[in-house]
Amino acid sequence: MSDGTSSDPLAPFERDTLSGDYKIYFTTKRENFRASVYNLPLLWQSFQHLDEIWIRELVDTQQIKDPNVALPAALFRDAHARFRIAMELAFSCCMHEAFNSLRLGIEGVYHACKILSDPKQTEQRARVWIATAERTPEAKKAFAAAFEHNKMRSFAECGLSVLHRYWQDFSRYSHSSMDSFSIRLESVKTATGITWNVHYFEGRPPNIAGTLFWLLLASAEMEKAFFDRFRARLDLDPSLADLRRCFEATKEAARQDIIRRFNWKPPNSVPTPEFSVIAKECAKDH
C-alpha cells in the first residue's frame, strides 16, 4: 500500500546505528506502519478511540481498596499493554506476532474475570494465581485446577464465550503449526526447482485490513469485560458514554469502508447511514 510520502521513515539515530539486512527489515516495518495508518485511517481512529477508553477506565479504577480486587485490576492493566503492543505490530503488518500478544492479553482478561467471578473464592483464586511464582508442583496443580480445567466452559461461566473463540483462533495462528506457517510460506518456481520463501510481513491489503478489523473486535471484547467488572464505578464517569459512542461509530464506518473497498460481504451487523457522519464528528474532536 502507498503511504503517501517518500520521506525516510527512520530517525537519525536509527539511520546511524542500524545496518545490514536488519536495517532493511526495520525500515520496512516502519514503512508498513505508516502505510497502514495512511491507507486505513478509520481503522486507526478506531484503535485510537478504544485505547482512549481503556486509559480513561484505568484512571477511574486506579484506587482499589479491596486487596482481593487489586490483582484482577492489575491483570486488566497488563491486558491493555498487550493490546497496545498488538496494535503496533498489526499496523506494522506483523500479524502473527500481533495474534500472540493479544492472545496473552485475552488470557489475562480471563484470569481476572475468573478471580472475580465468585466473591466467595476471589481471595483463594488470587492466592493460587500468585503462587505460580513458586513454580512448585503443588502450585502448578492448583493453578491448572482453578484456571485451566475445561477452559471453554470456564470462559463461558465468566461470560467470555466470544473471547474464547478469539483466544482459540489467535492461539492457532501464533503457535508454530502448519496453519500458522502456511500463511507465511510461498513457493516460487525457478529454473532449477522450487524455492521456499518465508515472509516476515503480511503484504496483501485486503488481508491487512481484515486482520486489523478482526483484532479490533477482539480488543473491544477485552475492554468490555473490563468495563463490565467495574461498571458500578465506571458508570459514574459521564465522558465514557461519549467515548464509546465515538468508538462504535468509527468502528462501523471502518467496517463499511473495508467492505466497500475490498468487495467484502457485510458481517452480521446492519450498517446505518448516520455512523459515517458521527465518525467524522468524532475524528474532529481527536
Side-chain angles (χ1 to χ4, degrees), residues 3-283:
D3 63 357
T5 178
S6 58
S7 61
D8 190 341
L10 299 183
F13 169 77
E14 294 165 341
R15 287 196 297 272
D16 294 339
T17 56
L18 302 179
S19 62
D21 192 75
Y22 184 77
K23 184 174 185 178
I24 298 173
Y25 163 82
F26 191 89
T27 302
T28 303
K29 184 168 174 279
R30 181 69 60 78
E31 288 177 336
N32 286 343
F33 183 87
R34 185 170 61 182
S36 297
V37 172
Y38 178 82
N39 286 285
L40 300 166
L42 289 172
L43 276 170
W44 176 246
Q45 289 173 24
S46 297
F47 275 97
Q48 293 278 79
H49 288 322
L50 185 57
D51 184 70
E52 189 172 356
I53 291 170
W54 269 99
I55 291 299
R56 187 73 192 185
E57 292 169 346
L58 292 174
V59 171
D60 288 344
T61 55
Q62 273 184 330
Q63 302 298 323
I64 301 293
K65 295 182 180 179
D66 186 347
N68 295 322
V69 181
L71 174 60
L75 286 170
F76 281 121
R77 280 165 167 75
D78 180 71
H80 173 253
R82 308 283 186 180
F83 156 71
R84 276 189 166 177
I85 293 169
M87 177 176 69
E88 178 185 343
L89 288 167
F91 274 88
S92 300
C93 302
C94 304
M95 299 310 184
H96 290 70
E97 292 74 20
F99 291 153
N100 192 45
S101 182
L102 211 60
R103 175 181 67 87
L104 294 173
I106 291 173
E107 282 195 343
V109 167
Y110 160 62
H111 291 163
C113 293
K114 184 72 174 180
I115 292 170
L116 295 171
S117 62
D118 185 348
K120 295 180 181 179
Q121 298 187 56
T122 295
E123 182 178 358
Q124 177 59 25
R125 285 175 177 167
R127 290 180 180 274
V128 167
W129 197 95
I130 293 170
T132 56
E134 300 172 4
R135 301 182 182 275
T136 63
E138 294 78 14
K140 291 179 180 179
K141 184 177 179 180
F143 180 84
F147 296 96
E148 299 294 320
H149 179 67
N150 203 337
K151 211 163 188 176
M152 180 183 291
R153 186 178 70 183
S154 190
F155 263 80
E157 289 172 350
C158 294
L160 304 174
S161 293
V162 174
L163 265 184
H164 183 263
R165 291 198 294 272
Y166 286 121
W167 179 82
Q168 284 183 310
D169 289 335
F170 297 158
S171 296
R172 185 167 71 251
Y173 290 116
S174 59
H175 288 158
S176 180
S177 65
M178 197 58 209
D179 278 343
S180 174
F181 188 48
S182 62
I183 296 174
R184 279 185 151 156
L185 196 63
E186 178 190 33
S187 61
V188 180
K189 291 184 178 181
T190 66
T192 57
I194 296 178
T195 299
W196 295 95
N197 295 328
V198 177
H199 296 286
Y200 286 66
F201 306 107
E202 175 60 66
R204 295 161 291 185
N207 290 17
I208 295 170
T211 302
L212 282 168
F213 193 75
W214 191 26
L215 291 164
L216 178 68
L217 294 178
S219 301
E221 285 293 325
M222 293 166 63
E223 181 279 322
K224 181 177 179 295
F226 177 33
F227 179 84
D228 288 343
R229 270 59 187 185
F230 291 89
R231 180 181 290 272
R233 181 175 302 191
L234 296 176
D235 273 341
L236 300 176
D237 186 345
S239 68
L240 278 173
D242 291 335
L243 291 174
R244 288 181 171 280
R245 179 181 66 89
C246 285
F247 169 68
E248 291 298 332
T250 309
K251 181 184 73 173
E252 180 61 20
R255 188 184 72 87
Q256 294 182 43
D257 180 58
I258 61 177
I259 290 171
R260 175 184 57 81
R261 289 168 61 183
F262 302 111
N263 197 28
W264 286 354
K265 293 182 179 180
N268 293 331
S269 59
V270 179
T272 53
E274 65 270 17
F275 272 122
S276 59
V277 177
I278 296 173
K280 289 179 181 178
E281 293 176 354
C282 292

